[in-house]
Amino acid sequence: MVVVTAPGKLILFGEHAVVYGEPAIAVAIDRRIRVGLAANEGAQQRGFTVNGFELSPRYHSFIHRAIQQYYDDDGPPLTITTDSELPSASGMGSSAAITVATVGALFARMKKFDPASIAKVGFDVEYTVQGRASPIDTSTSTHGAAILLDDTARDALLWHLSRDDQHWYIHHQELPRLTLVAGNTGVHAKTGPLVAKVRRFVERSGFARDIVREIGELTLDAADALAEADHERIGALMDRNHELLAILGVNHPALERLVKAARKSAYGAKLTGAGGGGSMIALTDDPERTAAAIEKAGGEPIIVEVTTRGVTIEQSTEPDE
Ligand code: MEV
């Protein structure tokens, strides 16, 4: 039996633009997904199961893809169990965490547990299932703490990923003490269709491409503002990033309500992740007040704890096996 966990994430800057090679910054959060794998030797005929149900490409798309692509055909069927502290389709990285925890568990079984390889394979899985993706979510879930992804290598490089002619350099990002409050709208939004919607806009409009570039520039400004712990500047950049994402068409009335309510007690606030519903984040010195404002505006507030624990083997007992 192997048990691996991986954290969710929140994107601070650069979502969507990162798909086109622009930089992005994200943090791993203290809410995890747990995946257990055990060999199903005695019950070959049952095949692979997830929480007691037959493994399905439709309902377990990320797990299914990971197994199909990276599990040895000659291996016994697996009994897979999952457990999540992350609401799904909420912008908090549940897809990345389930992918990374599954790939991590497969690698742990093969005694090849290595974060850079897990990040690479996790990205492949997410890219295939989502249609198109950047590695920001899967790399953040793999590494933990904070990540800066850019198209050139800088100090604190962790690993490099590429696909077709696109290159992403994943770096550890130093974070000052920040108090972030997230607000979940409860409106489920799938990442794939939102990425496809932005892509249609970017492919046909030079204006949209300028917006994407501006998001990239402000993300690098934000990396400097984070290094200087300049809360006012970070907040202003969050507000601008939110406006630019709204122009790209991924805002939602429920998100806008939460962002507006939070800003009264925050340095800045923006949607986080794919948008279209999901969650927002605010940078504040008064988390209780910001959380109360989010709740009053109809959201579920979460005072965010950043975790340094990326993908982790929690249990590996022999034989499982
Ligand atoms: C989703 O969490 C982040 C997006 O930029 C998509 C991606 O990077 O794969 C919207």
Side-chain angles (χ1 to χ4, degrees):
M1 171 81 170
V2 171
V3 177
V4 170
T5 63
K9 62 84 212 186
L10 288 169
I11 298 183
L12 301 187
F13 292 97
E15 50 273 269
H16 284 291
V18 68
V19 174
Y20 307 96
E22 298 294 337
I25 300 170
V27 294
I29 60 172
D30 203 11
R31 291 191 169 210
R32 307 182 73 83
I33 287 188
R34 173 187 167 285
V35 170
L37 299 183
N40 194 356
E41 305 272 19
Q44 294 276 359
Q45 68 284 9
R46 282 204 68 200
F48 289 76
T49 59
V50 180
N51 299 328
F53 295 94
E54 191 181 331
L55 173 66
S56 138
R58 174 149 183 217
Y59 298 111
H60 316 114
S61 47
F62 295 96
I63 299 175
H64 181 266
R65 181 72 198 173
I67 302 255
Q68 195 185 41
Q69 215 164 326
Y70 298 100
Y71 185 63
D72 181 0
D73 283 346
D74 301 331
L78 297 173
T79 299
I80 303 156
T81 48
T82 68
D83 207 352
S84 176
E85 299 167 347
L86 288 162
S88 66
S90 66
M92 296 190 194
S94 62
S95 311
I98 192 85
T99 302
V100 167
T102 305
V103 172
L106 289 171
F107 278 37
R109 262 191 118 250
M110 297 185 287
K111 311 272 183 265
K112 286 186 186 163
F113 191 86
D114 155 52
S117 313
I118 295 169
K120 179 175 185 308
V121 169
F123 170 49
D124 271 358
V125 169
E126 201 172 56
Y127 193 102
T128 316
V129 174
Q130 201 169 285
R132 185 158 180 180
S134 81
I136 186 79
D137 294 3
T138 39
S139 280
T140 307
S141 183
T142 303
H143 175 65
I147 288 286
L148 166 69
L149 186 154
D150 200 357
D151 64 353
T152 47
R154 303 159 169 269
D155 289 347
L157 179 69
L158 294 168
W159 50 75
H160 160 241
L161 299 174
S162 59
R163 186 156 194 127
D164 304 326
D165 55 355
Q166 253 185 315
H167 294 270
W168 290 277
Y169 295 85
I170 320 295
H171 308 83
H172 176 80
Q173 165 79 38
E174 282 306 324
L175 272 190
R177 282 182 71 83
L178 291 180
T179 307
L180 295 166
V181 180
N184 182 6
T185 60
V187 177
H188 287 217
K190 285 211 163 224
T191 302
L194 286 150
V195 169
K197 176 180 172 181
V198 172
R199 185 169 74 193
R200 286 193 292 276
F201 192 18
V202 167
E203 277 173 358
R204 65 162 202 268
S205 156
F207 170 66
R209 290 193 288 279
D210 287 346
I211 300 289
V212 162
R213 267 192 294 276
E214 187 179 338
I215 293 177
E217 282 161 18
L218 79 74
T219 299
L220 291 181
D221 278 359
D224 291 341
L226 283 166
E228 289 157 19
D230 183 344
H231 286 56
E232 300 281 352
R233 180 103 189 107
I234 300 165
L237 290 166
M238 288 170 81
D239 289 350
R240 179 66 184 152
N241 196 166
H242 179 74
E243 274 174 46
L244 296 173
L245 287 164
I247 297 171
L248 287 182
V250 296
N251 202 1
H252 183 280
L255 274 171
E256 194 57 27
R257 266 197 303 281
L258 303 195
V259 163
K260 283 221 168 89
R263 276 185 185 153
K264 292 188 184 122
S265 59
Y267 292 102
K270 64 181 276 292
L271 70 85
T272 182
S279 299
M280 48 69 68
I281 42 165
L283 174 63
T284 179
D285 281 340
D286 192 345
E288 308 302 334
R289 195 166 145 217
T290 307
I294 288 172
E295 191 159 20
K296 196 160 171 230
E300 181 209 350
I302 296 162
I303 298 177
V304 176
E305 296 285 339
V306 174
T307 181
T308 54
R309 275 176 83 221
V311 63
T312 304
I313 301 176
E314 307 286 353
Q315 184 189 334
S316 180
T317 43
E318 306 204 21
D320 106 352
E321 265 140 73

